[in-house]
């Protein structure tokens, strides 16, 4: 029996078609639950309520049957489509080619999507186009073949895909622009790094050259001053002695400054290593105090005490001298006349503890965080000569020797409790290092 190409009820057409199509549900089982009439109504309801457009055409491409969703998609009424060629739903420019494709499909009918790999378009009654996906299947009724197409409107999907492609393209452009920018920045950084390396190399050569060039005249000046004192044989006037002492002091300052610059340069280039030897801490401190007494101001007193009988350490003697010399030198420099400076050493639990306490001006609270930074000087010390390198070098030497250094300080007028152990203005430095430094543990701080 043929599917009628009329406006009669679709239920009658579906009643003829659907049993032929049912391949997955056995017909006897369906009949055991529903009557033949009920089955026909169920199939008709499924056909009409399908969310996708359904269209049935014969071998000549004439539309025999449509569901409500299809006519809604294309803007037609049911009566307008029935009996029309299927090409009326295809864009004008593709209709001739579709006739050939339809005939080829009838020659070898298979269940498959239509237009595999192509972006298919359909044409509405008003001539507007919209993207679709079409799945094809075929069946026979009374020996005549029909093709059923399932038409899906993919407008929103294509819009989402296009938006995704646009977003991806924008992201790719941004990534490319950012990559170009980063490459430019990287090139600039490399250029700046090379310039900095060159500048550091020049600085190192200058520091080394200047140190050696200045040491020679400074040594000559110091030797000449010593000779003046010796040859005078006690006959030099107080005024001459005063000037001689002043020259010696300035030479020591210049020598110390050169030593600081050389030490800093070596630290920055990782050339400083710990060379541990057995050192008597008490003898070291006494020798250092003898050298520093000439720098003390009138009325200043340095008191030294060592706690306990243990006094030997295995550490770098020169580094210990630099650390102690810097802390004591600062205590002398930044303390007024007629004040006391205390040096205390102790060896306990395989650690050497050093404490240097003064009654000086103290370190302002806002400067304490940066006081050990290179070239940093406290805001209340600008009238006192210095480079701002001493504490930085001392702290880095302490680290190399496997120790730590911290301090507490109080300035005049600061509230009680800001510096533990300080009732008046002053500073206390605490140094804690290993009693025995293992050579293999040397770690140079390049900070």
């Amino acid at each position: 029996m043929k599917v009628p190409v009329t406006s009669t009820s679709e239920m009658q057409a579906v009643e003829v078609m659907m049993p032929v199509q049912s391949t997955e549900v056995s017909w006897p089982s369906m009949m055991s639950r529903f009557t033949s009439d009920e089955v026909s109504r169920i199939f008709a309801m499924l056909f009409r309520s399908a969310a996708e457009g359904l269209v049935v055409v014969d071998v000549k491409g004439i539309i025999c049957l449509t569901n409500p969703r299809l006519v809604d998609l294309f803007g037609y009424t049911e009566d307008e489509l029935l009996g029309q060629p299927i090409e009326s739903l295809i864009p004008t420019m593709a209709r001739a080619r579709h006739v050939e494709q339809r005939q080829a499909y009838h020659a070898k009918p298979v269940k498959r999507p239509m237009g595999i790999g192509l972006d298919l378009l359909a044409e509405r009654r008003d001539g507007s186009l919209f993207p679709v996906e079409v799945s094809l299947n075929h069946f026979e009724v009374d020996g005549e073949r029909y093709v059923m197409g399932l038409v899906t409107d993919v407008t929103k999907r294509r819009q989402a895909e296009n938006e995704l492609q646009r977003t991806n393209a924008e992201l790719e452009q941004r990534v490319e622009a950012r990559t170009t920018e980063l490459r430019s920045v990287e090139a600039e950084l490399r250029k700046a790094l090379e310039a900095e390396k060159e500048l550091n190399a020049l600085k190192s050569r200058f520091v080394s050259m200047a140190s050696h060039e200045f040491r020679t005249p400074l040594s000559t000046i110091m030797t000449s001053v010593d000779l003046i004192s010796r040859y005078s044989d006690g006959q030099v006037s107080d005024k001459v002695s005063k000037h001689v002492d002043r020259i010696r002091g300035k030479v020591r300052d210049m020598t110390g400054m050169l030593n600081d610059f050389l030490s800093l340069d070596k630290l920055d280039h990782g050339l400083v290593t710990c060379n541990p030897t057995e050192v008597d801490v008490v003898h070291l401190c006494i020798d250092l105090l003898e050298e520093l007494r000439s720098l003390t101001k009138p009325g200043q007193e340095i008191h030294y005490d060592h706690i306990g009988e243990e006094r030997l350490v295995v550490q770098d003697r020169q580094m210990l001298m630099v650390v102690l010399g810097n802390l004591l030198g600062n205590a002398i420099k930044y303390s007024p006349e007629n004040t006391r400076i205390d040096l205390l050493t102790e060896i306990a639990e395989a650690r050497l503890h050093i404490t240097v306490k003064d009654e000086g001006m103290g370190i302002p609270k806002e400067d304490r965080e940066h006081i050990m930074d290179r070239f940093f000087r406290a805001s209340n010390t600008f009238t006192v000569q210095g480079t701002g390198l001493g504490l930085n070098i001392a702290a880095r030497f302490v680290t190399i020797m496997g120790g730590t250094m911290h301090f507490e300080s109080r300035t005049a007028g600061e509230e009680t409790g800001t510096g533990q152990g300080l009732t008046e203005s002053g500073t206390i430095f605490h140094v804690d290092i290993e009693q025995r430094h293992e050579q293999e543990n040397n770690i140079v701080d390049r900070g």
Side-chain angles (χ1 to χ4, degrees):
M1 179 178 182
K2 293 185 180 181
V3 177
V5 184
T6 67
S7 59
T8 57
S9 172
E10 289 176 0
M11 186 180 298
Q12 295 176 345
V14 173
E15 183 178 356
V16 175
M17 294 165 49
M18 302 310 288
V20 180
Q21 284 291 94
S22 59
T23 57
E24 302 205 358
V25 180
S26 65
W27 186 254
S29 64
M30 289 286 290
M31 292 299 293
S32 65
R33 295 188 182 184
F34 303 103
T35 65
S36 177
D37 187 53
E38 288 173 334
V39 171
S40 297
R41 289 200 301 270
I42 289 172
F43 282 130
M45 180 183 64
L46 292 175
F47 186 82
R48 295 189 63 82
S49 62
E52 308 296 344
L54 293 172
V55 60
V56 177
V57 300
D58 61 16
V59 293
K60 296 179 180 180
I62 302 301
I63 298 174
C64 303
L65 190 63
T66 62
N67 73 340
R69 176 57 178 161
L70 186 102
V71 295
D72 287 343
L73 285 178
F74 288 87
Y76 289 93
T77 64
E78 293 183 35
D79 293 338
E80 288 178 320
L81 281 179
L82 293 177
Q84 298 297 318
I86 189 65
E87 281 77 22
S88 61
L89 305 181
I90 294 173
T92 304
M93 65 182 66
R95 290 176 181 177
R97 185 168 67 253
H98 183 265
V99 172
E100 298 175 359
Q101 293 169 342
R102 174 167 52 78
Q103 292 172 349
Y105 177 83
H106 279 294
K108 293 183 179 180
V110 291
K111 179 181 178 179
R112 64 172 176 81
M114 177 179 170
I116 299 175
L118 300 176
D119 292 332
L120 300 180
L121 293 175
E123 183 174 301
R124 297 188 182 93
R125 188 174 186 278
D126 61 7
S128 61
L129 303 180
F130 65 103
V132 294
E133 285 184 352
V134 180
S135 295
L136 300 177
N137 199 358
H138 66 283
F139 61 91
E140 291 186 0
V141 176
D142 295 337
E144 292 198 25
R145 182 180 297 151
Y146 297 90
V147 176
M148 182 173 68
L150 187 147
V151 182
T152 304
D153 183 354
V154 294
T155 300
K156 292 184 177 180
R157 187 199 307 172
R158 291 290 164 79
Q159 289 175 347
E161 291 174 352
N162 293 336
E163 180 65 19
L164 181 60
Q165 291 177 355
R166 185 187 64 79
T167 302
N168 288 339
E170 290 181 358
L171 287 175
E172 289 178 0
Q173 291 177 354
R174 291 181 183 178
V175 169
E176 185 176 354
R178 184 59 176 163
T179 301
T180 302
E181 181 182 349
L182 289 176
R183 286 174 180 169
S184 176
V185 172
E186 181 184 9
E188 292 178 1
L189 288 176
R190 289 182 181 278
K191 185 177 179 180
L193 180 61
E194 292 300 324
E196 184 177 357
K197 287 181 179 179
E198 184 178 354
L199 182 61
N200 286 334
L202 289 172
K203 181 195 72 175
S204 298
R205 289 196 293 270
F206 171 77
V207 170
S208 179
M209 179 271 296
S211 299
H212 288 92
E213 292 298 323
F214 280 120
R215 281 179 182 276
T216 301
L218 288 175
S219 298
T220 302
I221 293 171
M222 185 62 82
T223 301
S224 299
V225 170
D226 290 339
L227 289 175
I228 290 174
S229 298
R230 185 180 302 174
Y231 292 154
S232 298
D233 195 21
Q235 299 177 7
V236 180
S237 65
D238 291 341
K239 290 184 178 181
V240 173
S241 296
K242 182 178 180 180
H243 287 296
V244 168
D245 291 340
R246 182 178 296 175
I247 293 173
R248 282 175 175 162
K250 294 301 179 183
V251 170
R252 289 194 192 98
D253 290 341
M254 286 292 295
T255 302
M257 189 183 304
L258 292 175
N259 289 337
D260 285 347
F261 279 115
L262 278 175
S263 297
L264 182 66
D265 186 62
K266 290 179 180 178
L267 283 167
D268 288 343
H269 288 81
L271 302 177
V272 178
T273 57
C274 187
N275 299 305
T277 59
E278 190 174 86
V279 180
D280 188 313
V281 174
V282 175
H283 285 169
L284 177 73
C285 291
I286 291 174
D287 292 342
L288 180 60
L289 291 176
E290 288 299 321
E291 293 181 16
L292 295 176
R293 288 194 190 280
S294 62
L295 302 180
T296 57
K297 298 172 184 176
Q300 282 185 337
E301 295 181 353
I302 302 179
H303 294 262
Y304 171 54
D305 188 19
H306 179 79
I307 300 176
E309 297 182 0
E310 182 66 45
R311 50 197 282 180
L312 296 179
V313 299
V314 179
Q315 276 290 356
D316 190 301
R317 179 183 177 85
Q318 185 60 33
M319 287 189 185
L320 282 174
M321 289 284 287
V322 170
V323 173
L324 285 167
N326 180 273
L327 297 180
L328 290 169
N330 284 347
I332 294 170
K333 186 190 303 184
Y334 299 116
S335 297
E337 298 177 358
N338 302 312
T339 54
R340 171 172 172 151
I341 298 170
D342 290 295
L343 170 62
L344 177 66
T345 57
E346 179 185 10
I347 298 176
E349 299 179 352
R351 308 287 295 182
L352 169 61
H353 308 283
I354 302 171
T355 302
V356 178
K357 177 182 178 181
D358 65 53
E359 300 174 353
M361 62 180 69
I363 303 170
K365 191 173 182 179
E366 62 273 14
D367 294 336
R368 290 169 193 167
E369 180 182 357
H370 304 287
I371 198 64
M372 294 187 190
D373 295 348
R374 66 172 72 188
F375 299 111
F376 183 86
R377 303 198 69 207
S379 56
N380 58 349
T381 63
F382 291 134
T383 59
V384 183
Q385 184 176 351
T387 61
L389 292 175
L391 279 178
N392 178 266
I393 294 171
R396 293 165 74 175
F397 278 179
V398 168
T399 301
I400 293 173
M401 290 188 289
T404 59
M405 183 169 75
H406 65 280
F407 68 92
E408 49 190 295
S409 188
R410 184 182 178 194
T411 56
E414 196 171 352
E415 67 271 12
T416 305
T418 55
Q420 298 178 2
L422 291 168
T423 56
E424 301 293 339
S425 65
T427 303
I428 304 176
F429 272 90
H430 302 277
V431 177
D432 180 86
I433 61 175
E434 298 173 344
Q435 180 183 5
R436 303 182 66 84
H437 184 88
E438 299 297 333
Q439 184 71 30
E440 61 269 23
N441 290 338
N442 291 345
I443 299 177
V444 178
D445 178 12
R446 304 181 183 220

